Amino acid sequence: MDADLLIVRKAAGLLSVPGRLPENQDNLTGRLQSHYPDALNVHRLDQVTSGLMVYARNKPTQAALSRQFALRQIGKRYIALLQGLVAQDAGEVRLPLICDWPRRPRQIVHHELGKAAHTRWRVLQRHPDQQQTRIELEPITGRSHQLRVHMAEIGHPIVGDDFYGAAPAARVMLHAAQLRLQHPSTGQWLEWLDEPDF
């Protein structure tokens, strides 16, 4: 934290910003602004996802960070637990995504109308006893539900993500564990790490 930035850890199950419905008003941005009224949203994590988020504390910083996100200059890495044992050690998924409007916010692969989506992945550990694989995910693009859909599409949905075909669990095992960005004021590259609790 400094005069320009706030780095916070979002809990799984908490919205990043307010939802449309009255029961979905509790959110990280609102909670943060009660302590830091100048906190400005720059990006989002899915409600089911935990992990690192950056907030700006003034409009120039918000604009600069938004530009870094748009130009894909911000480094992001996620840790996830997948159902099943992934055979390969690393790979990538390039499948275009579009909102499934009748079932929104669900996203689907659509080769004609979808927007390009690219995810790199690397196996960290296999757990044969639980039939699960711990994996590191790097989203090259930042589409809604991208990591969740891409893992389901390769036959290994994220543990707990019953929205995309996994068996129900206590939570969706997806965590934003690393954030790397260039400080808009100093130009210095900064990195934060946060291990998941699963």
Side-chain angles (χ1 to χ4, degrees):
M1 180 180 79
D2 63 19
D4 295 312
L5 301 176
L6 291 169
I7 304 296
V8 297
R9 184 189 213 232
K10 188 184 88 63
L14 181 65
L15 290 165
S16 296
V17 296
R20 287 189 298 271
L21 301 174
E23 62 268 26
N24 291 333
Q25 294 309 296
D26 184 26
N27 65 93
L28 179 60
T29 301
R31 289 184 185 186
L32 198 57
Q33 287 171 344
S34 69
H35 298 284
Y36 302 95
D38 57 359
L40 298 169
N41 189 262
V42 177
H43 65 123
R44 301 177 186 188
L45 291 178
D46 288 349
Q47 183 176 8
V48 300
T49 306
S50 59
L52 295 171
M53 290 183 65
V54 60
Y55 282 80
R57 300 191 70 183
N58 51 65
K59 288 286 188 185
T61 299
Q62 184 186 39
L65 291 173
S66 295
R67 193 162 45 253
Q68 286 186 47
F69 272 103
L71 295 173
R72 300 177 188 165
Q73 295 170 336
I74 300 231
K76 297 172 287 180
R77 291 234 191 317
Y78 293 72
I79 303 294
L81 273 180
L82 305 185
Q83 283 190 180
L85 299 177
V86 178
Q88 293 176 282
D89 291 334
E92 53 189 314
V93 182
R94 293 176 186 261
L95 291 171
L97 302 176
I98 192 171
C99 183
D100 183 3
W101 282 105
R103 298 187 292 169
R104 65 183 178 273
R106 186 180 180 83
Q107 306 291 311
I108 55 172
V109 173
H110 196 296
H111 291 283
E112 289 76 37
L113 301 176
K115 292 183 178 178
H118 181 194
T119 302
R120 292 189 184 121
W121 58 267
R122 178 174 68 92
V123 169
L124 299 174
Q125 192 174 12
R126 293 178 181 88
H127 304 283
D129 293 349
Q130 289 84 29
Q131 286 294 296
Q132 294 176 349
T133 303
R134 187 177 185 86
I135 198 165
E136 180 185 77
L137 297 163
E138 181 188 2
I140 307 305
T141 54
R143 306 293 176 210
S144 182
H145 295 195
Q146 174 179 317
L147 303 178
R148 299 165 65 188
V149 177
H150 278 178
M151 293 304 96
E153 286 291 324
I154 66 168
H156 296 282
I158 296 170
V159 170
D161 197 3
D162 54 356
F163 201 57
Y164 290 108
R171 61 160 290 190
V172 175
M173 303 298 182
L174 179 61
H175 181 79
Q178 181 185 34
L179 196 57
R180 184 174 185 270
L181 56 85
Q182 189 172 26
H183 196 292
S185 296
T186 68
Q188 181 182 3
W189 282 95
L190 303 170
E191 183 176 74
W192 295 269
L193 301 172
D194 183 57
E195 288 299 313
D197 56 9
F198 56 78

